[in-house]
Amino acid sequence: KESNILYSYTFRNLQANTPFIIKADQYNSKEYTIKILPKPIILSFDVHADYPQYLGRKPETMANTGDLTVPAGTRLTWTFYTRDTRKLQFRIGGKLNEIAAGKSNAFTFSSKMMTGSPYSVIIGNEYFNRRDSLSYLVNVIPDLYPSISVEEFRDSIYDNRLYYQGTVKDDYGLSRLVFAYLVKKAGAESTEGEVRTKDVPLDKNLLQQQFYYFMDMSTLFVQPGDEVEYYFEIWDNDGVTGNKSTRSTKRIFKIPTLDEIEKMTQEKNEDIKDKMESVIK
């Protein structure tokens, strides 16, 4: 009782249609019914991840995991299990996708993830529309470029013999390592022909490894006065956007001219003479 003429009653936590009447003294009202409208609900959801084949990683399914971090090229398939839901909208990458449930209460959506993006799910039925229920983020890790570092050592006796020690690494895997060179003939304004390569042994199962290489410039059919421009190049195993490569710093090896060779020979001869005289003394 709120006043002499006003009474009130509160129905709490109604779960089903509720009939009622009002009775006062000798008066009985007609029967009224509070009708309960079904509210769309997401009970649970699964996310199935199919990773790019070149990663060698088995597919996996995650239950009720919204925020995700996956490699670029991963195909994600969401399955939402609902109740009293007639329509589901899946928004990702700025695009709104209408998903049909078919004959069940499960809604499925699939997308190949190349870049990170937030996503949200909107559910509804004939009574409730555009109800934002979930909002998450997919973080995509791109396949980075491989890296390479190389140290060069020259033979103390034979100037044309070069030794290399280097390190290569990548986040997902390596596919090929080469020693590349091109020859600029003496007196020529530009380099001659295409770049030639020699494969360097590589263990494709290791993400990071060291390598050693030996090069005798005299085997490249060069002549006095020629220049050889050379570098190492490493490729990763990116199976989504294609193998990416990184080159080491370019170096130039100059073949001495005949005059330079003669001058060096004279200098060495003079050095030998000086040492011989020292020994004799």
Side-chain angles (χ1 to χ4, degrees):
K1 183 177 180 180
E2 295 185 8
S3 69
N4 289 335
I5 60 172
L6 180 62
Y7 291 77
S8 68
Y9 180 80
T10 301
F11 294 86
R12 301 185 184 279
N13 195 25
L14 296 175
Q15 299 294 324
N17 291 350
T18 303
F20 69 93
I21 62 172
I22 297 174
K23 183 177 180 180
D25 226 359
Q26 301 299 316
Y27 169 78
N28 288 324
S29 74
K30 68 175 184 179
E31 183 177 277
Y32 298 93
T33 299
I34 300 176
K35 186 176 181 181
I36 303 303
L37 303 179
K39 182 174 66 175
I41 297 174
I42 294 178
L43 301 174
S44 65
F45 67 96
D46 295 332
V47 185
H48 182 77
D50 282 312
Y51 301 106
Q53 187 174 3
Y54 78 98
L55 298 180
R57 188 172 171 181
K58 294 182 179 180
E60 59 180 324
T61 300
M62 295 152 282
N64 299 312
T65 302
D67 292 327
L68 301 165
T69 299
V70 297
T74 301
R75 178 165 289 280
L76 296 178
T77 302
W78 288 267
T79 302
F80 297 94
Y81 304 97
T82 67
R83 185 178 69 194
D84 298 322
T85 302
R86 300 294 176 266
K87 55 185 177 180
L88 184 146
Q89 295 175 319
F90 193 96
R91 183 187 296 275
I92 187 169
K95 182 179 179 181
L96 189 63
N97 304 274
E98 296 279 352
I99 312 301
K103 297 181 180 180
S104 68
N105 287 322
F107 295 79
T108 300
F109 179 77
S110 180
S111 178
K112 185 176 181 180
M113 303 304 300
M114 299 302 296
T115 58
S117 174
Y119 71 92
S120 60
V121 180
I122 304 169
I123 58 176
N125 58 20
E126 58 269 35
Y127 304 108
F128 300 92
N129 191 28
R130 299 190 64 81
R131 179 182 176 85
D132 289 330
S133 56
L134 298 174
S135 182
Y136 295 113
L137 175 69
V138 178
N139 182 36
V140 172
I141 302 174
D143 191 330
L144 303 177
Y145 277 78
S147 66
I148 181 171
S149 60
V150 182
E151 288 185 84
E152 180 182 271
F153 306 92
R154 297 208 176 195
D155 196 299
S156 59
I157 299 176
Y158 300 98
D159 292 339
N160 57 306
R161 296 182 181 179
L162 305 176
Y163 302 87
Y164 301 95
Q165 174 183 335
T167 301
V168 291
K169 62 180 178 180
D170 186 65
D171 46 359
Y172 293 122
L174 302 164
S175 61
R176 189 187 182 199
L177 174 63
V178 301
F179 176 82
Y181 67 95
L182 46 82
V183 178
K184 180 179 179 181
K185 288 299 182 181
E189 295 183 357
S190 60
T191 53
E192 179 186 90
E194 297 181 358
V195 175
R196 300 168 188 171
T197 61
K198 293 179 179 289
D199 282 291
V200 180
L202 185 71
D203 188 343
K204 298 180 181 179
N205 295 319
L206 296 179
L207 301 182
Q208 179 174 338
Q209 57 193 287
Q210 286 189 323
F211 69 92
Y212 301 90
Y213 192 69
F214 165 73
M215 188 66 210
D216 187 347
M217 290 296 179
S218 64
T219 63
L220 302 181
F221 305 104
V222 289
Q223 301 298 322
D226 291 350
E227 289 185 357
V228 180
E229 184 179 87
Y230 58 96
Y231 54 88
F232 288 88
E233 188 166 8
I234 181 69
W235 281 267
D236 68 4
N237 64 341
D238 192 340
V240 177
T241 60
N243 296 348
K244 303 182 296 298
S245 70
T246 301
R247 295 177 180 179
S248 66
T249 302
K250 288 185 179 180
R251 300 174 184 266
I252 295 178
F253 183 88
K254 189 176 185 304
I255 312 300
T257 63
L258 294 176
D259 291 339
E260 290 172 336
I261 293 174
E262 184 177 353
K263 184 178 179 181
M264 286 188 292
T265 304
Q266 289 177 355
E267 290 176 352
K268 288 183 179 180
N269 288 340
E270 291 296 329
D271 184 54
I272 292 173
K273 287 179 182 180
D274 291 341
K275 287 181 180 178
M276 288 298 291
E277 288 178 1
S278 176
V279 171
I280 291 172
K281 290 179 182 179

